[in-house]
């Protein structure tokens, strides 16, 4: 969503949702996954982009490994923005966190 912020409208307004759902956006506000490969000089995307979960306003992430070292079998924690009045179930002052658990195969 934040990639579509305008210089003169630097706040979360309904126009952002419309932009994400347009032909120029990702189609959904949500959490996406893709694999990266390092070729020695740059990172490159491998394969397709996968939508893990549709969310209204994903905002901020954290990674935690199963033993605290950011390794596999970890957790991806995503916050949902609860500012403003865009979500009736997530009003300002509410904290909402979605936790994705990675399995032994590296899938979320």
């Amino acid at each position: 969503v934040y990639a579509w912020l305008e210089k003169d409208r630097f706040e979360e307004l309904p126009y952002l949702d419309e932009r994400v759902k347009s032909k120029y956006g990702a189609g959904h506000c949500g959490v996406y996954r893709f694999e990266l490969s390092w070729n020695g000089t740059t990172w490159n995307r491998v394969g397709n982009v996968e939508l893990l979960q549709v969310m209204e306003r994903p905002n901020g992430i954290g990674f935690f490994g199963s033993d605290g070292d950011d390794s596999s079998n970890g957790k991806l924690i995503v916050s949902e923005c609860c500012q403003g009045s865009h979500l009736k179930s997530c009003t300002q002052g509410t904290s909402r966190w979605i936790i994705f658990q990675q399995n032994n195969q590296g899938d979320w």
Side-chain angles (χ1 to χ4, degrees), residues 2-31:
Y2 299 108
W4 300 106
L5 283 171
E6 295 177 357
K7 193 178 213 178
D8 296 332
R9 296 194 288 180
F10 198 75
E11 55 189 297
E12 293 186 18
L13 297 171
Y15 80 92
L16 291 173
D17 298 323
E18 295 163 13
R19 294 250 174 102
V20 168
K21 293 173 185 170
S22 76
K23 67 179 181 177
Y24 303 107
H28 301 282
C29 292
V31 177

Side-chain angles (χ1 to χ4, degrees), residues 16-87:
L16 291 173
D17 298 323
E18 295 163 13
R19 294 250 174 102
V20 168
K21 293 173 185 170
S22 76
K23 67 179 181 177
Y24 303 107
H28 301 282
C29 292
V31 177
Y32 292 83
R33 175 190 184 274
F34 59 91
E35 189 174 336
L36 291 174
S37 173
W38 176 252
N39 70 8
T41 56
T42 60
W43 288 97
N44 299 294
R45 190 179 84 208
V46 178
N48 295 322
V49 176
E50 174 188 0
L51 176 63
L52 294 179
Q53 182 166 333
V54 173
M55 294 176 69
E56 292 295 325
R57 289 281 166 80
N59 178 29
I61 60 173
F63 296 95
F64 295 93
S66 59
D67 56 4
D69 68 353
D70 296 335
S71 63
S72 63
N73 297 320
K75 293 180 176 77
L76 166 65
I77 302 171
V78 182
S79 68
E80 181 129 54
C81 178
C82 292
Q83 294 177 330
S85 59
H86 58 275
L87 290 174

